[in-house]
Amino acid sequence: MTAIELISKVFLPLSLAIIMLGMGMTLIITDFTRIIKYPRAILIGLTNQLIFLPIIGFSLAIAFNLNPTMAVGLMILASCPGGPTSNLITQVCKGNIALSVTLTAIASIVSILTIPFILSYALEYFGSNTDVTIKLPIIDTILQIMVITVIPISIGMLIRKHKTSFAKRMEKPMRTASTIIFILVFIAVLAANADKLIAGMKEAGFVTLALNIATMGLGYLTARLFKLNLKNTISVTIESGIQNGTLALVIATSILNNVEMGIPIGAYAIWMFLTAGILMWQLGKIPNLDSE
């Protein structure tokens, strides 16, 4: 087994499972029923993540005339809604962390069903322009995503229920570890494909920046259009623009066995952390936001 195969087949899925375990340890059943408390905000956030994000990604892939591999990579990214990193960023930006966690939890479960169907369509559409045909086994994909997302989340929730004090102590370290794990795996995947990275960044760099700005802008505008308060607006904006890059990399490299499809995901991660850093810097300075 080569180094890149070891990373994509073993370490990447394992790291995602650890990240999802950590997320599960922060969740309680109330996080899934909080839709009653924030129905408008949650509906807006989920609609942005699960419907508008793939539509924007698809539109940009066509508008930028991406080659089929890059286009499918962009669609993989667009079909993977925010992970635990978005919760950490929301916390620093003084957004509504309860809303952020709820959106992440619900979207993570629902996306098990939406991801295979979105990608099947993307592979069929963009694959028609090339001689290379990649088929996505829907049932197998659903099962694989469940094993590396839902099962670790469920185990984490059981730990939270039966070992509450331990889970609470681990909440902040696990969130920080999730970000560090993602960055390390991201660097390892890109380093193993350095030869393809420069050419890929030339093609995918600007379109992924456009996707990041468009999705965050959509989150902000829809939240303000429906008159959400500033803390909820921050949460919806971040959840709309911060994607689960680790899950996207697992799908590209482990399920579809195509490392090149991970290039737009890597490019997006760079922009994602850059724009999130700007938000954290600006919003973190607002003095009375916590009391809103």
Side-chain angles (χ1 to χ4, degrees):
M1 186 178 285
T2 64
I4 187 58
E5 286 176 334
L6 189 64
I7 293 169
S8 62
K9 297 290 186 183
V10 180
F11 290 113
L12 193 50
L14 183 61
S15 68
L16 178 59
I18 293 170
I19 289 170
M20 292 295 106
L21 175 68
M23 189 175 98
M25 288 170 64
T26 69
L27 297 177
I28 54 177
I29 295 298
T30 309
D31 293 317
F32 293 91
T33 60
R34 203 174 275 127
I35 191 168
I36 300 168
K37 186 176 181 181
Y38 306 112
R40 188 170 47 177
I42 288 174
L43 184 60
I44 293 167
L46 291 177
T47 301
N48 287 348
Q49 288 179 297
L50 299 172
I51 297 175
F52 288 124
L53 176 58
I55 291 172
I56 292 171
F58 184 77
S59 302
L60 286 173
I62 293 174
F64 281 81
N65 194 29
L66 294 182
N67 72 52
T69 302
M70 293 293 151
V72 173
L74 193 71
M75 289 306 298
I76 293 171
L77 177 70
S79 67
C80 295
T85 303
S86 62
N87 305 149
L88 178 64
I89 294 169
T90 298
Q91 193 171 35
V92 177
C93 290
K94 300 182 180 179
N96 185 336
I97 186 65
L99 173 60
S100 176
V101 168
T102 301
L103 283 170
T104 299
I106 296 174
S108 296
I109 301 301
V110 176
S111 64
I112 294 170
L113 299 176
T114 58
I115 288 171
F117 289 99
I118 291 170
L119 294 188
S120 289
Y121 178 79
L123 287 165
E124 184 177 347
Y125 181 89
F126 293 110
S128 63
N129 299 322
T130 179
D131 294 331
V132 180
T133 301
I134 301 175
K135 291 292 183 182
L136 185 73
I138 290 179
I139 301 299
D140 287 351
T141 302
I142 290 173
L143 291 173
Q144 287 181 67
I145 295 174
M146 280 187 67
V147 168
I148 54 180
T149 58
V150 175
I151 292 176
I153 287 173
S154 301
I155 294 171
M157 289 182 71
L158 286 172
I159 294 172
R160 175 62 181 257
K161 182 178 180 180
H162 297 289
K163 300 287 183 181
T164 306
S165 59
F166 170 76
K168 286 184 176 180
R169 284 199 311 274
M170 293 299 294
E171 190 169 328
K172 188 174 180 180
M174 288 298 282
R175 277 194 182 136
T176 305
S178 295
T179 304
I180 294 172
I181 288 171
F182 170 74
I183 292 172
L184 290 176
V185 172
F186 162 65
I187 291 172
V189 171
L190 295 188
N193 295 274
D195 54 329
K196 300 172 183 175
L197 181 60
I198 297 175
M201 282 295 289
K202 287 180 181 178
E203 183 170 6
F206 193 72
V207 67
T208 49
L209 174 61
L211 179 64
N212 182 246
I213 292 173
T215 52
M216 280 197 166
L218 175 71
Y220 179 81
L221 290 174
T222 52
R224 279 318 199 190
L225 179 65
F226 288 94
K227 296 180 170 48
L228 300 186
N229 65 33
L230 183 54
K231 287 180 75 70
N232 288 351
T233 297
I234 291 170
S235 297
V236 170
T237 300
I238 292 169
E239 288 294 328
S240 298
I242 303 298
Q243 310 314 317
N244 193 337
T246 316
L247 176 58
L249 279 174
V250 168
I251 292 171
T253 62
S254 299
I255 296 178
L256 291 176
N257 297 308
N258 192 311
V259 175
E260 285 185 66
M261 287 180 182
I263 291 174
I265 300 165
Y268 190 89
I270 294 171
W271 299 125
M272 184 176 82
F273 283 112
L274 181 62
T275 54
I278 293 170
L279 281 177
M280 289 189 286
W281 175 50
Q282 290 296 324
L283 294 172
K285 295 189 295 185
I286 299 177
N288 299 319
L289 190 54
D290 285 326
S291 60
E292 182 174 320

